[in-house]
Amino acid sequence: MIKYDSNAGTFFLAGDTYSYSFRLYEGKCESVHFGAASDGVPFSLRKYTYRNFSPMIEDKRGSRSFGDMPLEYSEYGRGDYRTPAVQIEGDGFASTDYRFSGCEILSSHPQAGGLPVFRGGETLRVDFYDAVSDSSLKLYYTVYPSGLVRRAEISAGGKPFTVRRLASFCLDLNGCYEMTALVGGHGNERRRRTWKVDTGKSVLESNRGTSSHQCNPFTALAEKDAGEEHGRVYGASLVYSGSFRIEAEVDQLHNTRLIAGYNPDDFSYPLAKGETLSSPEALIVFSDSGYGGMSRAFADTIRDYLIPEKYVYASRPIVINNWESTYFNFDEEILCGMLDKLKGLGVDMFVLDDGWFGHRDDDHSSLGDWFIYSKKLRGGLAGIIKKARECGMRFGLWFEPEMVNSDSRLYREHPDWCIHTEGRTPLTGRYQLVLDFSRPEVVDNIFSQMEKILSSYDISYIKWDMNRHLTDMPDFVTQHKFMLGVYDLARRIVARFPDLFMEGCSGGGGRYDLGMMAFFPQIWCSDNTDAQARCLIQYGSSFPYPLSVSSNHVSICPNHYSGRTVPFATRGEVAMLGAFGYELNPYQLSAEEHASIQSQTEQYRRMEHLVLKGDLYRLSNPEENGIFCMELAAKDKSEARITFVQFAMQPDPTPFRIYPRGLDADAVYTVCGDVTDNEQFTGRTLMNAGMDFPEVWRDNEAHIITINKATHGTKKRV
Ligand code: GLA
């Protein structure tokens, strides 16, 4: 719901789980409330005192300064010394003073100049104008039941200028918070870190030209001592896959400003007369039921309004990918042998990974040459696709569209198509260069090559990879335009092949963000397929992102990344908490392991609806105690499934007690699994009395508990 009261100058926005309000004051939008539901815009309940050393709107006692006012969008150079959301520089001006000039409630979701956007919702646009720079600023707010999407747009009027900063939002919050970030590196993505921000600034950022493995474009600000299911928590996640910065700043009053948008270190964008630039959208949510409530608000909004509509709740293909079993060393015979071994086991998509194109025998050549390597695949892809079909599987193919090796036909024909600075040899990463996707002719070329392959063969799935970060920028514009080129190519592929299923990837989960999720219903979560490491990575990833996005595969042990051996059953259970698949050579499995593929695929199909549509409850923090425990509960409270993995066996342990969530207190449930044998309890008993896990005898042993609403019969009811 959106209400604008022009007499009072107030704006009131409300979803099911939050309300958000601000009011006009001296032409600015002053924030009043973002949090649990309120019934109006209570600005008279806010109090301010005179501040020395704060330039005044009217320089007299009792008047106000922009320097400590909670603002909807902060500016540079007019007395607000905190972080600006917008900063521009033109001939004779370096400050702005945007004043309210109107607003409109829009009937459809506005586009954002080629950037990915959410769909649906009710949108408010608030307009501002600055006379000196002759520029206009628009703030967009789209209301969804459990989240709010914000964005800003700036346009030059009669004078050109350079945009140095353009944030998606500014959120001025009362008090100090604990900040959560998802940080790490390749094979160690999105590890949760939380710390207190009560002084200065905390900055989360990527300047790598991608959202990166190192720091995800998400943050949470939680009140002190908030936990998984209690306390007030704010979450924010950017719909952008390039360099970004998120800043939490504590001011002189011990209030916190949160700003997120383009990374100003990597960004300086000239606008000519009449031109417009949009910030990315950002999804912000509020929870008064802890981090768990925040994650569920994120998941519901992302699933219902961002992930490609067609696939949100659609059953996902169970994939077998050849990468970890063959790497570059395969031919048709080897692949067909793998397919034979998988026949009838419930796997339904064979994905041929890197090495099928150009003359690629290793990672030194052929990126950019998207035609078949006939030495490995003599009859093209037809033979292997036919074989996959005979074995009951569809076929998928790997691409890395944004890259080129210098040893390629494409590079020899167009050596200037890679991102570079004139006069300097560009750096390589994994022996490859980055194509300059800011140039439409480069995107056109890659689109035509991909289109040719995809229209010549029966291909149902692609894995879109990106295996290095950007360097050697010629200016501060190319990086953002590169990102727009990537989105453009993804959009064109989707439009041309609407039935193609696309999985995102960037050296594992290096581009695991809402920008990608607008095109890719699932993303390869990490190159690290070790189930214990994955527990930590998937735990962190679940804070802002729905489990259904996380592509997880059972791989061979000892694990190629960690050297660790984890029970086959645990590898399956951990991989099932997402889009499930395999990445192994079935010839290397024991007979018992091989046979369990079928029971795993059947099990996954029985629980998949919980992954796609259920509510997630994290029952343990494995970063603290080495115990991974996630519950998925059906929204109608009819069932729940709990996965428990303890990393290390403990001698003489204290039993680990969990309190299931998301059940109907009055209903009777049958509990099965290692804690009890088919007994019945009420939801109230289960949630309030909890249950203990038995002693674990082996490192990384997985235990599963299923909780189903009883339809008949009782063995014992408590
Ligand atoms: C990246 C991906 C892997 C695999 C290789 C192929 O590292 O994350 O899954 O596709 O590239 O080169």
Side-chain angles (χ1 to χ4, degrees):
M1 179 234 285
I2 298 175
K3 271 198 227 155
Y4 169 54
D5 179 337
S6 55
N7 291 326
T10 56
F11 296 84
F12 181 72
L13 286 61
D16 294 347
T17 55
Y18 66 93
S19 64
Y20 188 109
S21 58
F22 50 96
R23 68 147 179 168
L24 293 172
Y25 179 81
E26 295 285 340
K28 306 287 174 190
C29 283
E30 178 187 11
S31 315
V32 177
H33 171 69
F34 177 33
S38 70
D39 292 319
V41 189
F43 60 86
S44 60
L45 299 178
R46 303 284 174 257
K47 299 286 174 273
Y48 305 96
T49 46
Y50 179 84
R51 294 278 137 208
N52 287 324
F53 285 89
S54 294
M56 290 292 150
I57 297 162
E58 251 188 305
D59 201 357
K60 59 178 189 208
R61 282 219 165 249
S63 101
R64 306 263 310 270
S65 159
F66 294 137
D68 59 356
M69 196 186 286
L71 291 165
E72 282 301 293
Y73 209 69
S74 53
E75 300 167 63
Y76 178 81
R78 292 278 292 168
D80 182 358
Y81 297 104
R82 297 166 293 176
T83 310
V86 60
Q87 189 177 14
I88 67 175
E89 183 180 10
D91 188 10
F93 55 91
S95 64
T96 53
D97 194 350
Y98 287 109
R99 300 285 167 143
F100 177 74
S101 60
C103 67
E104 195 182 341
I105 297 172
L106 308 175
S107 53
S108 62
H109 196 108
Q111 293 305 308
L115 287 161
V117 288
F118 274 77
R119 57 178 175 271
E122 195 186 8
T123 301
L124 166 71
R125 195 195 66 229
V126 189
D127 304 333
F128 303 84
Y129 179 69
D130 173 45
V132 171
S133 61
D134 188 17
S135 67
S136 58
L137 174 74
K138 294 177 172 40
L139 301 184
Y140 292 88
Y141 300 79
T142 305
V143 176
Y144 296 105
S146 25
L148 179 77
V149 166
R150 285 193 58 181
R151 168 171 84 83
E153 198 174 271
I154 189 170
S155 305
K159 300 177 190 173
F161 56 82
T162 297
V163 183
R164 292 172 57 165
R165 282 176 185 257
L166 188 68
S168 303
F169 67 86
C170 165
L171 205 56
D172 279 348
L173 299 169
N174 179 253
C176 294
Y177 296 84
E178 290 178 348
M179 189 172 199
T180 291
L182 301 176
V183 295
H186 178 235
N188 191 29
E189 298 92 331
R190 293 176 299 288
R191 298 289 300 276
R192 181 201 176 176
R193 294 290 175 264
T194 297
W195 67 97
K196 208 158 117 189
V197 183
D198 57 7
T199 313
K201 277 191 192 183
S202 274
V203 175
L204 308 177
E205 65 180 350
S206 162
N207 57 3
R208 294 166 176 267
T210 81
S211 52
S212 89
H213 308 79
Q214 285 73 13
C215 185
N216 193 264
F218 148 82
T219 194
L221 292 182
E223 71 178 342
K224 189 168 171 286
D225 299 329
E228 269 301 323
E229 298 302 328
H230 69 274
R232 296 163 68 249
V233 182
Y234 297 93
S237 188
L238 284 169
V239 190
Y240 193 55
S241 317
S243 296
F244 70 90
R245 183 181 286 176
I246 298 174
E247 296 177 62
E249 177 184 14
V250 174
D251 67 15
Q252 57 177 331
L253 306 182
H254 283 88
N255 290 326
T256 304
R257 168 169 290 176
L258 184 68
I259 295 248
Y262 297 121
N263 189 332
D265 282 354
D266 279 349
F267 190 85
S268 184
Y269 205 98
L271 282 188
K273 291 179 197 171
E275 282 184 346
T276 293
L277 175 74
S278 174
S279 80
E281 286 192 338
L283 171 60
I284 51 181
V285 302
F286 169 76
S287 157
D288 59 3
S289 51
Y291 293 99
M294 175 198 77
S295 298
R296 291 185 290 277
F298 268 127
D300 288 346
T301 314
I302 293 166
R303 289 192 296 214
D304 287 343
Y305 303 103
L306 182 78
I307 291 172
E309 217 165 350
K310 190 169 171 177
Y311 293 110
V312 183
Y313 296 120
S315 179
R316 299 294 166 80
I318 297 180
V319 161
I320 172 93
N321 178 301
N322 73 309
W323 178 243
E324 281 196 29
S325 48
T326 66
Y327 295 104
F328 294 105
N329 309 315
F330 61 83
D331 58 20
E332 199 170 305
E333 204 183 324
I334 293 172
L335 301 177
C336 287
M338 283 173 62
L339 282 164
D340 269 332
K341 266 282 206 190
L342 290 161
K343 198 171 175 176
L345 297 183
V347 176
D348 36 30
M349 183 77 69
F350 178 79
V351 176
L352 178 56
D353 210 280
D354 195 353
W356 60 267
F357 51 90
H359 61 280
R360 189 144 162 112
D361 286 317
D362 56 34
D363 47 12
H364 287 70
S365 84
S366 304
L367 291 171
D369 290 350
W370 301 108
F371 48 83
I372 287 153
Y373 187 11
S374 52
K375 189 181 100 184
K376 289 186 188 175
L377 298 160
R378 287 188 201 293
L381 294 175
I384 181 75
I385 293 177
K386 184 162 170 275
K387 180 72 184 177
R389 286 283 180 188
E390 283 165 12
C391 296
M393 284 172 243
R394 286 173 292 146
F395 183 79
L397 199 57
W398 180 95
F399 286 93
E400 197 178 351
E402 299 143 73
M403 297 293 156
V404 67
N405 286 113
S406 50
D407 180 5
S408 68
R409 192 189 287 177
L410 186 74
Y411 184 81
R412 279 186 284 276
E413 281 169 12
H414 301 284
D416 63 322
W417 274 13
C418 66
I419 293 180
H420 67 284
T421 301
E422 267 328 305
R424 186 173 289 148
T425 308
L427 295 173
T428 51
R430 206 196 187 198
Y431 318 106
Q432 60 201 51
L433 298 160
V434 184
L435 284 171
D436 187 351
F437 266 34
S438 73
R439 295 169 62 173
E441 67 275 27
V442 180
V443 178
D444 285 348
N445 178 293
I446 299 300
F447 175 76
S448 318
Q449 291 199 57
M450 290 177 77
E451 187 193 31
K452 191 161 176 209
I453 292 281
L454 294 173
S455 56
S456 307
Y457 294 100
D458 180 11
I459 297 172
S460 312
Y461 183 107
I462 64 170
K463 175 177 170 191
W464 177 320
D465 210 338
M466 201 272 188
N467 277 318
R468 63 157 290 184
H469 292 154
L470 276 49
T471 58
D472 297 287
M473 287 297 152
D475 51 48
F476 289 110
V477 172
T478 302
Q479 214 181 83
H480 175 56
K481 287 197 168 162
F482 167 85
M483 233 21 274
L484 294 178
V486 174
Y487 293 137
D488 179 43
L489 181 62
R491 204 171 276 124
R492 287 166 70 179
I493 296 282
V494 172
R496 172 69 179 81
F497 301 100
D499 293 328
L500 187 71
F501 187 93
M502 302 211 295
E503 170 165 309
C505 178
S506 173
R511 235 173 15 185
Y512 203 92
D513 58 65
L514 296 185
M516 287 288 128
M517 289 173 202
F519 302 99
F520 301 87
Q522 66 190 43
I523 299 181
W524 182 227
C525 184
S526 177
D527 275 347
N528 189 343
T529 54
D530 168 60
Q532 181 183 314
R534 273 302 190 97
C535 283
L536 296 166
I537 296 170
Q538 292 173 211
Y539 167 78
S541 308
S542 76
F543 277 72
Y545 306 117
L547 291 199
S548 58
V549 170
S550 175
S551 172
N552 311 324
H553 293 171
V554 174
S555 64
I556 210 79
C557 277
N559 184 271
H560 293 189
Y561 209 95
S562 67
R564 190 184 283 128
T565 294
V566 171
F568 195 77
T570 305
R571 284 178 256 161
E573 292 300 345
V574 173
M576 281 185 221
L577 296 171
F580 182 62
Y582 292 87
E583 182 129 353
L584 44 73
N585 188 337
Y587 281 94
Q588 291 166 357
L589 297 175
S590 68
E592 194 192 335
E593 287 173 338
H594 186 260
S596 56
I597 292 184
Q598 184 160 6
S599 53
Q600 285 184 339
T601 57
E602 286 169 0
Q603 174 56 49
Y604 183 66
R605 288 300 179 215
R606 282 197 297 274
M607 65 169 282
E608 188 186 13
H609 62 285
L610 293 175
V611 173
L612 293 170
K613 305 177 198 162
D615 279 336
L616 171 72
Y617 295 89
R618 287 176 294 258
L619 304 183
S620 175
N621 177 351
E623 294 281 1
E624 277 173 12
N625 60 8
I627 294 175
F628 172 84
C629 191
M630 274 189 181
E631 174 190 346
L632 283 170
K635 283 208 180 278
D636 65 3
K637 301 181 188 294
S638 59
E639 58 172 318
R641 188 175 195 275
I642 300 172
T643 306
F644 169 93
V645 180
Q646 184 168 320
F647 299 161
M649 175 264 170
Q650 299 287 337
D652 197 16
T654 308
F656 185 68
R657 182 164 302 169
I658 55 152
Y659 296 87
R661 294 276 165 251
L663 304 177
D664 176 351
D666 292 322
V668 175
Y669 291 89
T670 307
V671 182
C672 293
D674 299 321
V675 293
T676 154
D677 177 23
N678 222 14
E679 284 185 279
Q680 293 190 336
F681 302 91
T682 63
R684 184 174 295 102
T685 300
L686 291 171
M687 292 191 289
N688 296 340
M691 56 176 84
D692 291 349
F693 273 95
E695 197 170 336
V696 168
W697 283 102
R698 202 175 155 193
D699 291 355
N700 291 309
E701 206 169 73
H703 292 276
I704 300 298
I705 297 169
T706 57
I707 302 176
N708 285 287
K709 218 179 221 180
T711 46
H712 58 270
T714 54
K715 196 166 173 200
K716 182 168 155 194
R717 182 180 292 201
V718 186

